[in-house]
Amino acid sequence: ICFKMSHFYIKMAHLKANKQDVNTYSNFDEVTQKFVELDVSIDFDKKELTGTVKTEFEIINPSLQEIILDLHGPEIISVNLVNEELDEIPLKYEIYTKNKDKEALGTPLIIYLESIKEENASEYDKIFEDKLVTIIISFKTTEKCNGIQYLTKEQTYNKKYPFMFTQCEAIQCRTLFPCQDTPSVKAKYKAKTSVDMPLTFLFGGIMKSHYYDSPNKRKIMCFEQNIPIPSYLVAFVAGELEYTKISKRCGVWAEAGLSAKAAWEFVDAEKYIEIAENYLNHPYEWKVYNILVLPFSFPFGGMENPNLTFVTPALLAGDRSMSNVIGHEISHSWTGNLVTNRNWANFWVNEGFTKFMERKLDKNLLGEDMAQLESIVGNNSLISAIKMYGEDSNFTCLSPDFSGVDPDDGFSTIPYEKGYQFLVFLEEKVGEEIFREIMSKYIDTFKYKSVDWTDFKNVYEECVLEKMNRRNARKILNVIDWNKWVTETGFPSYKMEFKSKYTKEVDDLIDQFLKGEENPESALELFKNWHTNVKLAFLDEIKKNIDKFDGSLILKIKEELNLVEAYNDDVKAIWYEITLDKGLSDEIENVKNFLQTHGRLKYLKPLYFGWIQLDLNNAGKFFEENKYLYHPIARRLIQNKFDSQK
Ligand code: BES
Ligand code: ZN
């Protein structure tokens, strides 16, 4: 398409990130997307999604001149206005590439509304009268679209068909199609997908219909998401998928041949939903809860895409020992998906609250001592993350500044565990029951909206004043330093005490090994029967006191507890971290094998980091040879680790 240049569409000389969300260029405070309709077709040969995104915008600023959308990778084919008669009128647009942070934030699409005037003046007046404008954009994705990973058939479980999945959180929705890619904005969605038979192409929403386009041998599916969601919750997956039901509202999608195993593993999903509903006194509004098991390159443990939680296949431990991840993702249905962080500086409002819910569910299912043990293990990871970044680092604060950077670069357990500890602190001040009522009120007040932490503070203070006598309430509110908790870097200002009966068992076994007194048979018997969390606490204890263990003792512990073969991937990964810390080069083969079969960043980051400390050269060579096994997001983050060594 060729445009004649005129005065109005070359004036965006200094496009700036939005002040309310520094990770978007969109002018969502002037105009907001309300309804998004996607029509997407996948071509596996070309590794390409092609289609249209039709968006209804509400105009807030009556003198609006342009709509600025985030974009990072896709090619734009056309941009048209859609009027009531469903005619399409071409609009002038520009892709802005002059920004310095385009590597992180992309190259926004600027759509010039005034160009409608040139074509049709009455149409232009009408959109401002109605305060509504519908725009349809035709696009196709490119290899620069980091939110999408294509897998060859060799990289799948059955090795018969290729596979594709998306990961939009935090700012990758803009790598699928142009949009207001900010959690400040929520919209309803419709999606229509098209894929070659016999594959299945899903969208994270409620499936409304599916049919076969037989002349073209394509499977067409239609989905809806009628609860308004932020862009980071948009999700697609295509592959040879099958479905197994778990319960009335829960089920599992997985590669053909895997879904029955997965349904067994995640059988507790329904229970988790019920406990969360009871705790928050708020129903599960999303109706359906399905879990999608991905190939191993999925970079996270789980991702709370609505109606379709994405998970790593590493959760299929065969003993249901990783189902806390499901509890976590289910909890996001309220904290995150109904009530959403307004920007990435408030990420802890998603993750800290969800960690808190996750441990409430575990307390209900496994008891107080187990939930406390999880908090202890969580605190260990908080301490090592803060040490890793340095106590003054911006990324150790609950409200980090992400200007000009991709928020994924600052991702760690800090928003989870520091956020969690702050909420436990707030809970201890008022007691469990009042805090539960506060959480419930918070969800009721802010569902379908996007919030920052001060919105929660207001509900907390209101409820405390309402539910406690005035003097007590004042006393409590006066000692809570919200600003200190949220805006200061480093360790939490108040040290939380977590206590669990399990720590004694852990300490005893550690002591026995250190003194060389253990009876190998009973040690194995004890360890084998421990809950995963106790095993993790034991290994954490070794890691913390690594100097007290010499290499031969570490190898002895490995033999006696059967550490490499027998347990789930969380246990294995921390074991490999220990062997790297200790410089046990005989173990490298096992580590390599693990790194070639896992794509979860929680494992990749510490293992590559440990290996870099031990042997930068070989770690680098191995990564170079294997990096295309990993998701683009993981690949970039691990590459950054190597680059920072230079
Ligand atoms: N929403 C996160 C995953 C995420 C965070 C993706 C930031 C992209 C950017 C998800 O809910 C999560 O926290 N997953 C954890 C689960 C764990 C805390 C139980 C994970 O993947 O390890
Ligand atoms: Zn989460």
Side-chain angles (χ1 to χ4, degrees), residues 3 20 139 173 222 230 372 411 444 489 520 525 528 570 577-578 594 604 610 631:
F3 292 127
Q20 297 172 47
F139 65 91
C173 192
C222 298
Q372 289 282 320
F411 180 81
D444 281 338
T489 64
E525 211 38 42
K528 242 185 8 198
D570 276 356
E577 272 182 61
I578 290 171
F594 192 86
L604 298 185
H631 190 280

Side-chain angles (χ1 to χ4, degrees), residues 261-275:
K261 181 176 194 270
W264 183 88
E265 197 83 39
F266 305 137
V267 74
D268 283 340
E270 187 68 36
K271 241 192 276 174
Y272 280 123
I273 296 178
E274 284 166 14
I275 301 168

Side-chain angles (χ1 to χ4, degrees), residues 167 169-170 300-304 324-325 328-329 332 347 351 354-355 358 408 411 416 600 602:
Q167 167 61 39
E169 193 178 17
F300 297 97
M303 174 65 214
E304 66 273 24
N324 71 304
V325 177
H328 179 94
E329 305 315 331
H332 272 305
F347 184 57
E351 297 302 343
T354 303
K355 238 326 152 200
E358 176 193 334
D408 286 353
F411 180 81
Y416 294 74
R600 185 178 180 185
K602 179 183 167 189

Side-chain angles (χ1 to χ4, degrees), residues 334-605:
W334 293 266
T335 50
N337 298 8
L338 280 186
V339 181
T340 306
N341 56 207
R342 175 172 292 163
N343 48 41
W344 301 110
N346 278 279
F347 184 57
W348 79 276
V349 174
N350 273 11
E351 297 302 343
F353 279 68
T354 303
K355 238 326 152 200
F356 183 87
M357 286 300 297
E358 176 193 334
R359 295 203 173 122
K360 283 287 173 213
L361 305 188
D362 279 349
K363 179 178 165 184
N364 193 301
L365 285 171
L366 305 167
E368 173 73 12
D369 276 300
M370 195 53 84
Q372 289 282 320
L373 186 70
E374 286 173 17
S375 306
I376 292 169
V377 172
N379 188 51
N380 291 340
S381 76
L382 175 64
I383 292 172
S384 60
I386 294 174
K387 282 191 182 149
M388 211 259 301
Y389 280 116
E391 279 182 60
D392 298 332
S393 161
N394 166 43
F395 292 147
T396 66
C397 142
L398 278 184
S399 52
D401 178 6
F402 287 130
S403 303
V405 300
D406 185 330
D408 286 353
D409 293 1
F411 180 81
S412 76
T413 61
I414 294 166
Y416 294 74
E417 299 296 344
K418 198 174 180 180
Y420 167 75
Q421 293 192 8
F422 184 30
L423 293 176
V424 174
F425 171 83
L426 292 171
E427 183 186 41
E428 282 180 1
K429 293 275 165 262
V430 298
E432 264 194 294
E433 179 50 25
I434 290 182
F435 195 74
R436 194 190 61 73
E437 288 169 30
I438 292 171
M439 290 288 278
S440 172
K441 173 104 182 273
Y442 167 69
I443 301 294
D444 281 338
T445 310
F446 294 111
K447 65 178 179 175
Y448 319 134
K449 297 200 173 81
S450 302
V451 301
D452 63 37
W453 60 273
T454 61
D455 290 314
F456 179 72
K457 175 175 184 276
N458 291 337
V459 172
Y460 184 87
E461 294 183 338
E462 236 172 69
C463 283
V464 170
L465 286 168
E466 188 188 297
K467 290 184 200 307
M468 303 182 86
N469 83 47
R470 262 210 125 54
R471 263 193 55 188
N472 275 347
R474 281 278 157 228
K475 241 197 210 153
I476 289 171
L477 296 182
N478 283 339
V479 299
I480 301 173
D481 194 341
W482 292 76
N483 265 308
K484 206 171 162 71
W485 269 99
V486 176
T487 63
E488 282 191 355
T489 64
F491 294 100
S493 54
Y494 183 93
K495 195 172 176 310
M496 303 302 295
E497 298 285 345
F498 300 109
K499 280 204 178 67
S500 167
K501 68 176 184 199
Y502 296 107
T503 52
K504 181 163 179 351
E505 291 184 41
V506 168
D507 293 344
D508 286 349
L509 188 61
I510 295 269
D511 275 353
Q512 287 176 26
F513 273 113
L514 281 175
K515 290 186 188 138
E517 279 173 359
E518 81 297 340
N519 164 353
E521 258 165 60
S522 69
L524 176 61
E525 211 38 42
L526 180 70
F527 189 82
K528 242 185 8 198
N529 292 315
W530 271 347
H531 188 280
T532 293
N533 290 326
V534 189
K535 295 186 178 106
L536 295 175
F538 173 82
L539 293 171
D540 259 10
E541 225 31 60
I542 295 183
K543 221 174 72 168
K544 273 198 294 189
N545 299 293
I546 193 77
D547 293 340
K548 295 190 194 155
F549 294 79
D550 59 31
S552 61
L553 180 54
I554 294 287
L555 288 174
K556 179 174 152 195
I557 293 174
K558 170 193 153 191
E559 295 304 325
E560 290 186 4
L561 302 183
N562 197 10
L563 270 164
V564 267
E565 285 130 56
Y567 312 106
N568 75 25
D569 286 338
D570 276 356
V571 175
K572 278 189 198 156
I574 181 165
W575 175 251
Y576 293 139
E577 272 182 61
I578 290 171
T579 63
L580 288 170
D581 271 5
K582 214 60 218 174
L584 299 178
S585 39
D586 288 359
E587 296 293 299
I588 287 289
E589 282 312 308
N590 288 328
V591 175
K592 283 183 179 170
N593 183 37
F594 192 86
L595 289 173
Q596 283 172 326
T597 50
H598 292 78
R600 185 178 180 185
L601 277 161
K602 179 183 167 189
Y603 305 147
L604 298 185
K605 278 197 209 167

Side-chain angles (χ1 to χ4, degrees), residues 117-157:
K117 239 185 199 166
E118 293 185 346
E119 300 277 336
N120 188 330
S122 68
E123 205 67 64
Y124 181 78
D125 293 339
K126 188 152 182 357
I127 65 170
F128 284 95
E129 230 167 77
D130 295 349
K131 299 197 174 63
L132 287 177
V133 55
T134 301
I135 289 174
I136 186 162
I137 301 172
S138 163
F139 65 91
K140 90 177 181 213
T141 59
T142 67
E143 73 285 353
K144 289 188 204 128
C145 297
N146 277 346
I148 308 173
Q149 188 178 23
Y150 291 91
L151 298 172
T152 61
K153 53 189 178 190
E154 291 75 25
Q155 288 173 294
T156 67
Y157 180 68

